């Protein structure tokens, strides 16, 4: 899964930790659970399943037909697929990006990680955001001191406000986790 932000593939891996499924069932689960960051359905889903199977991150377990319906292949996630899912989720949680869909996907699928690992990743992201906000503040001050009109720095202020809002949300989430305010599975889905 070398593709940057292969959110469809990531979601397929996560859903297959819940239960083995065929692509049509995965499509229904994505729609029913409002994984709105997944785009290009259903074609993108079928391509993702092919890629994941080619990379041996998922494997077919059975093929069957019900009545007059088309033949359907059921897939399950491999141990390598679980490791890939964990690695990719951790990276998306830890690393801020201007394309926020990756973080949205990671938050949506965060329950696939053990709670302590998710906390560490969120704390890493929070520290990165704090550094970014401090750097942006210094940059805005320097530009103002140089005489640059504030109107030319509005997009920088906007980016800083987005980072601050995200940091606030993450801080609140970590606080809720610390207080036991969010039920977390004792193990990642099998």
């Amino acid at each position: 899964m070398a593709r940057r932000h292969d959110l469809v593939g990531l979601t397929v891996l996560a859903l297959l930790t819940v239960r083995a499924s065929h692509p049509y069932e995965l499509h229904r689960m994505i729609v029913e659970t409002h994984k709105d960051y997944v785009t290009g359905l259903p074609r993108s889903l079928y391509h993702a399943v092919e890629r994941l199977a080619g990379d041996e991150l998922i494997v077919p377990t059975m093929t069957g037909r019900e009545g007059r319906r088309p033949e359907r292949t059921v897939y399950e996630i491999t141990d390598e697929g679980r490791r890939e899912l964990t690695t990719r989720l951790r990276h998306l949680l830890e690393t801020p990006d201007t394309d926020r869909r990756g973080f949205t996907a990671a938050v949506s699928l965060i329950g696939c990680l053990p709670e302590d690992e998710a906390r560490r990743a969120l704390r890493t992201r929070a520290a990165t955001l704090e550094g970014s906000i401090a750097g942006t503040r210094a940059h805005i001050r320097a530009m103002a001191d140089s005489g640059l009109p504030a109107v030319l720095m509005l997009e920088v202020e906007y980016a800083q406000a987005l980072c601050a809002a995200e940091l606030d949300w993450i801080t609140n989430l970590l606080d809720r986790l610390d207080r036991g305010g969010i039920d977390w599975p004792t193990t990642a889905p099998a």
Side-chain angles (χ1 to χ4, degrees):
M1 286 202 324
R3 288 172 160 55
R4 182 175 185 261
H5 294 315
D6 178 12
L7 302 181
V8 181
L10 179 73
T11 304
V12 167
L13 290 174
L15 292 176
L16 289 177
T17 66
V18 176
R19 68 175 176 268
S21 302
H22 53 77
Y24 179 74
E25 186 177 16
L26 292 168
H27 179 232
R28 278 196 354 253
M29 290 168 61
I30 288 168
V31 171
E32 289 170 2
T33 57
H34 301 282
K35 306 295 186 221
D36 297 333
Y37 56 83
V38 175
T39 59
L41 292 174
R43 186 184 339 206
S44 64
L45 174 70
Y46 286 94
H47 287 305
V49 167
E50 287 177 23
R51 275 193 313 275
L52 294 169
D55 291 342
E56 298 180 355
L57 299 176
I58 63 174
V59 292
T61 58
M62 64 178 265
T63 301
R65 179 187 310 265
E66 289 182 26
R68 303 182 116 197
R69 293 182 180 194
E71 194 171 76
R72 293 187 173 154
T73 302
V74 174
Y75 293 89
E76 70 181 12
I77 190 169
T78 63
D79 289 340
E80 181 64 27
R82 289 178 193 282
R83 285 189 290 276
E84 180 71 14
L85 171 64
T86 299
T87 299
R88 295 209 42 228
L89 270 178
R90 188 180 329 108
H91 175 75
L92 288 171
L93 286 171
E94 288 176 344
T95 312
D97 189 340
T98 54
D99 180 357
R100 298 190 190 287
R101 289 176 302 160
F103 185 58
T104 300
V107 168
S108 175
L109 305 172
I110 197 170
C112 292
L113 293 176
E115 184 178 356
D116 62 330
E117 198 168 334
R119 284 179 196 232
R120 274 193 304 275
L122 289 168
R123 285 189 181 106
T124 298
R125 186 181 193 95
T128 302
L129 288 169
E130 287 169 349
S132 177
I133 291 167
T136 302
R137 276 191 194 120
H139 178 67
I140 290 170
R141 267 193 314 274
M143 293 296 99
D145 291 347
S146 75
L148 187 68
V151 71
L152 296 179
M153 293 299 291
L154 292 177
E155 77 278 7
V156 177
E157 290 176 15
Y158 174 68
Q160 179 187 7
L162 290 176
C163 285
E166 184 178 311
L167 177 59
D168 184 52
W169 184 84
I170 290 169
T171 302
N172 287 330
L173 174 58
L174 287 167
D175 183 54
R176 287 171 61 198
L177 288 169
D178 290 344
R179 289 184 283 114
I182 296 179
D183 292 331
W184 203 282
T186 54
T187 59

